[in-house]
Amino acid sequence: MEVDSFESAPTLLNERLNTLLDSGRALESWPPTISVPLMEQTLDGPSDQVGVGKGYEGSLGAHSPRPQSGPTSDQDVPLHIPRPVDIDPSNDPLAVSSLRTGLCYDARFRWHAIPIDDDAHPEEPQRVYAIYQILCEAGLVSGNGTSTASASKILFPINARLADKAEILMVHTPDHYAFVKRTAGMKPNERMALIEAGDSIYYNDMTFYCSKLSVGGAIESCCAVVQGRVKNAVAVIRPPGHHAVPHEAQGFCIFNNVCVAARVCQKRFPSTCRKILIFDWDVHHGNGTQDTFYEDPNILYISVHVHQNGAFYPRGNNGDHLHCGAGAGVGKNVNIPWTEKGMTDADYMYAFQKVVMPIAAEFDPDLVIVSAGFDAAEGDELGGCHVSPACYAQMTFGMMSLAQGKVVVCLEGGYNLHSISISALAVTRTLMGEPPDRLGHLVASDVAADDVQKVMGRQSRYWACLRCGDLAWTNEGQKGERMHDVIRQYQSVELYKNHTMINLLILRDGVSRSFDNQVLATQNFASAETLILVFHDPPDVLGVSDPRTNQLVLHNTWLHDHLKFYLKWAADAGYGVIDVNVPQFVSQLEDNQGSSEEEEPLSVRLTKELVGYLWENYIEVNSAKKLFVLGVGQAHSAAIHFLNTCDCASTLKGAINFVNHASLHSVRKDMDTFFADWYKRNSLVFVNQNHLIFAPGRKALKRKFGHIIRSPKDGMSDMLAFHQGEVQQWIEARNAAAPAT
């Protein structure tokens, strides 16, 4: 039986099945033979329309033919709205899964190119071609001479079209639209001036045309999924869009493809596409998407990105975890900002399982759009992370459990051609129904655990699924005591009882209350010939909590503090000791800020003030002739700050740091080019064996980071215990060899 078009196949299939059932020959004659033309029918355009169908038939070269100059007319392209597939759910029990995955690709996306001869740019035309080529080579595209698969096992073509002005103005301002339109008619030197003055943006005479085509590709892909023409879709489009804010282009992005597509779907399908989830896994924060929907209660934007406390592009604090939406949209903006580069599959899956999926499931969207930048992939130098194709596939698989499988994956960034190709292939195969590859046993880094915990704490105010993630919201109005203060009070009592250590007075506004009981010293600290200055994190507290109330079961809660054995050794040896506990957050005189993560920047500033205060009032003026500095955990940054800012060269004999998974800090002495060499020769820097600095392919660290020793242990308590004898012998040897000055 021949079928004239793909759209009529399901109906004819049902008719054939009913005939067989009526005649009693269903089992012996099933399945019926149906011939389906593979590429004769495209989704929405006539056969002579330039789109996926035409692109498939052309050459696979990196560049495609293009007109000599771009159109400057703003004439709207007619919108072809295809007829819904005629499937009766009562007759077809697999109405959705029998649909195919759509692919939007067009050779014309490559016409937007940097206009400078022989000048490389990461956002290059070959990006989309490389993805399309690997899909062809995998046999997922018909009409290219490589696929012999049946129609159900190849991608269904979705034609891109030029988005019209009214659609783009749903997101962007008229001035921005008019500006981009003018670039098509500019002289080369005018466009060069824009390139030099812009924010990582280039233009040529086809930029306006390609940008509208990219938006149109996103729109058509989303509409095809919402209307049930395909079960899901992947849009291999460019230029990307998630950095484009309503009033201007930014970061390789001209128009915001995903934002416009979301707005069009909301307007065109108000009853079936009201709530939309945009999940952005590009390594850069989608500032344009956030700005567009920041007050929209029906658009949930979730972004996982490198932030580096605002130092990573697009820079600033807009991508931090405290930006959660405003007005009616409060709680509908979820940023998961990594404080470091180098994040792995384990870190991404930890964030995905702890934050992304719980919130997304509670939101219950009608459509999922993935802003799929592949610049966090292994091999992408701009991103500097290590996400595998299997991890992208796993996240895609999770998204497919939402919105009845209505998922559209739209390309954003990704600048290593091999990395984006294999990652996009893994995502596409998952959309088509292939199970994603297994990731094996994953353990998230401490950095990821800390970053995700901050997000959960903040977002727990808006999402019931995270309600056990933060205690601050339940503590408001009860005026409870923070445990780091309680534990330090206990430590001060114990250290006084065992070593007669006393609390040093800190008489400086702001610092005094924040570090009450945090600075302790042996009574001989001012007279001992050798002084050991210790900066350390609060001790570990391990326990079991009730999953409903967050209350710790005290019988099964333990305090782990191996550093006390270091202090005992130093005190017994007659060394002077100043012990500084550096809490991650500081207590305030008016501790009513709510969630504690807001205090972190303040703790860093106050710790630096404390370092200067200790030097000026207790160390520089005492009798110690030999000084050793010990930093433990994240607090080793305070030890490094002491080395960088205090004039202690005449007495400083050595420095020891223990780093678990925190960022590794370096010395830098202004006007002293030899200090890095000194630090390299006179330091021990013990680093967790699984730290990111030991990841494959990482460059060796410079001497300013000190003498790095890869510890065979994982965890600060284990590291301190394992290296205790080595540290003590090192200090004793240097103390004996160094003459008193």
Side-chain angles (χ1 to χ4, degrees), residues 471-739:
L471 288 175
W473 72 275
T474 64
N475 192 43
E476 292 178 3
Q478 298 182 22
K479 298 301 180 183
E481 297 291 334
R482 295 195 185 275
M483 281 304 298
H484 70 76
D485 291 329
V486 175
I487 290 173
R488 190 54 174 175
Q489 291 174 3
Y490 160 78
Q491 286 182 312
S492 65
V493 172
E494 289 297 303
L495 291 174
Y496 176 80
K497 182 172 64 176
N498 295 328
H499 312 299
T500 63
M501 294 183 71
I502 58 176
N503 186 23
L504 291 187
L505 294 178
I506 308 296
L507 301 178
R508 179 170 292 179
D509 291 343
V511 180
S512 303
R513 173 67 179 90
S514 303
F515 289 93
D516 186 26
N517 284 325
Q518 307 298 336
V519 184
L520 306 175
T522 56
Q523 294 189 14
N524 67 336
F525 82 92
S527 59
E529 184 177 274
T530 300
L531 176 65
I532 299 179
L533 176 62
V534 184
F535 296 95
H536 62 88
D537 295 342
D540 295 331
V541 177
L542 304 178
V544 178
S545 63
D546 187 298
R548 297 161 299 177
T549 65
N550 269 323
Q551 292 180 344
L552 287 173
V553 180
L554 296 183
H555 177 72
N556 291 325
T557 303
W558 304 88
L559 182 67
H560 286 252
D561 181 21
H562 193 86
L563 193 62
K564 65 184 179 182
F565 298 110
Y566 283 69
L567 299 181
K568 180 181 185 305
W569 161 78
D572 291 346
Y575 301 147
V577 178
I578 296 179
D579 177 79
V580 184
N581 182 72
V582 181
Q584 185 179 6
F585 309 114
V586 296
S587 300
Q588 299 295 296
L589 290 172
E590 296 293 334
D591 196 4
N592 58 358
Q593 303 93 330
S595 188
S596 57
E597 69 272 11
E598 297 177 41
E599 305 165 50
E600 183 176 7
L602 180 62
S603 71
V604 174
R605 177 175 63 81
L606 292 178
T607 299
K608 291 180 178 180
E609 289 187 22
L610 175 66
V611 167
Y613 184 89
L614 291 175
W615 168 251
E616 295 170 0
N617 294 275
Y618 289 111
I619 301 174
E620 185 180 23
V621 297
N622 74 6
S623 303
K625 302 298 188 294
K626 304 171 187 178
L627 174 65
F628 293 88
V629 178
L630 173 61
V632 179
Q634 295 187 35
H636 90 279
S637 62
I640 295 295
H641 182 71
F642 178 88
L643 298 177
N644 284 331
T645 58
C646 300
D647 187 15
C648 55
S650 61
T651 58
L652 185 62
K653 304 305 176 186
I656 307 100
N657 283 308
F658 284 86
V659 182
N660 196 16
H661 291 288
S663 298
L664 195 61
H665 294 265
S666 64
V667 298
R668 57 182 190 280
K669 277 273 193 180
D670 295 337
M671 308 302 293
D672 188 350
T673 58
F674 300 104
F675 188 65
D677 292 324
W678 180 94
Y679 184 60
K680 177 74 173 180
R681 296 191 309 270
N682 296 276
S683 66
L684 297 176
V685 183
F686 299 100
V687 182
N688 184 299
Q689 61 178 341
N690 297 316
H691 197 280
L692 293 176
I693 66 170
F694 302 121
R698 293 292 292 264
K699 298 179 180 178
L701 294 178
K702 297 180 179 179
R703 61 186 185 277
K704 64 182 180 179
F705 289 95
H707 177 51
I708 304 293
I709 300 173
R710 186 172 186 174
S711 174
K713 296 297 182 179
D714 187 5
M716 186 55 68
S717 294
D718 290 340
M719 290 172 61
L720 286 169
F722 184 83
H723 297 287
Q724 181 177 348
E726 181 180 356
V727 171
Q728 292 173 359
Q729 292 176 13
W730 190 81
I731 292 177
E732 289 170 349
R734 287 178 168 266
N735 187 60

Side-chain angles (χ1 to χ4, degrees), residues 51-103:
V52 172
K54 288 294 182 181
Y56 287 178
E57 298 170 0
S59 168
L60 294 183
H63 295 281
S64 61
R66 48 155 290 180
Q68 295 299 315
S69 62
T72 58
S73 171
D74 194 35
Q75 182 178 0
D76 292 344
V77 176
L79 176 61
H80 301 280
I81 302 178
R83 181 172 55 84
V85 177
D86 183 17
I87 294 179
D88 183 355
S90 63
N91 292 333
D92 190 342
L94 300 177
V96 175
S97 62
S98 61
L99 294 173
R100 287 153 62 184
T101 294
L103 168 65

Side-chain angles (χ1 to χ4, degrees), residues 197-218:
D199 179 14
S200 302
I201 293 290
Y202 66 78
Y203 303 91
N204 69 352
D205 56 340
M206 297 303 298
T207 296
F208 178 56
Y209 183 88
C210 290
S211 299
K212 294 205 300 179
L213 190 68
S214 185
V215 174

Side-chain angles (χ1 to χ4, degrees), residues 7-163:
E7 293 183 359
S8 62
T11 301
L12 294 176
L13 194 63
N14 292 329
E15 293 175 358
R16 173 64 170 157
L17 176 58
N18 291 332
T19 301
L20 292 171
L21 290 173
D22 292 340
S23 63
R25 294 184 292 109
L27 293 179
E28 60 184 273
S29 304
W30 186 259
T33 302
I34 297 181
S35 300
V36 181
L38 299 187
M39 285 303 302
E40 299 301 323
Q41 184 80 9
T42 57
L43 245 178
D44 60 332
S47 60
D48 60 346
Q49 184 174 348
V50 179
V52 172
K54 288 294 182 181
Y56 287 178
E57 298 170 0
S59 168
L60 294 183
H63 295 281
S64 61
R66 48 155 290 180
Q68 295 299 315
S69 62
T72 58
S73 171
D74 194 35
Q75 182 178 0
D76 292 344
V77 176
L79 176 61
H80 301 280
I81 302 178
R83 181 172 55 84
V85 177
D86 183 17
I87 294 179
D88 183 355
S90 63
N91 292 333
D92 190 342
L94 300 177
V96 175
S97 62
S98 61
L99 294 173
R100 287 153 62 184
T101 294
L103 168 65
C104 182
Y105 170 80
D106 196 303
R108 294 173 293 173
F109 291 139
R110 306 202 295 268
W111 291 351
H112 168 66
I114 191 164
I116 306 172
D117 293 337
D118 301 324
D119 191 10
H121 192 281
E123 209 291 283
E124 57 182 335
Q126 286 85 348
R127 294 176 59 244
V128 291
Y129 166 70
I131 295 174
Y132 173 66
Q133 183 183 41
I134 199 171
L135 296 178
C136 292
E137 293 173 350
L140 305 182
V141 178
S142 69
N144 57 82
T146 62
S147 178
T148 58
S150 63
S152 62
K153 296 181 180 179
I154 61 173
L155 293 161
F156 196 79
I158 300 174
N159 279 349
R161 65 170 176 83
L162 295 177

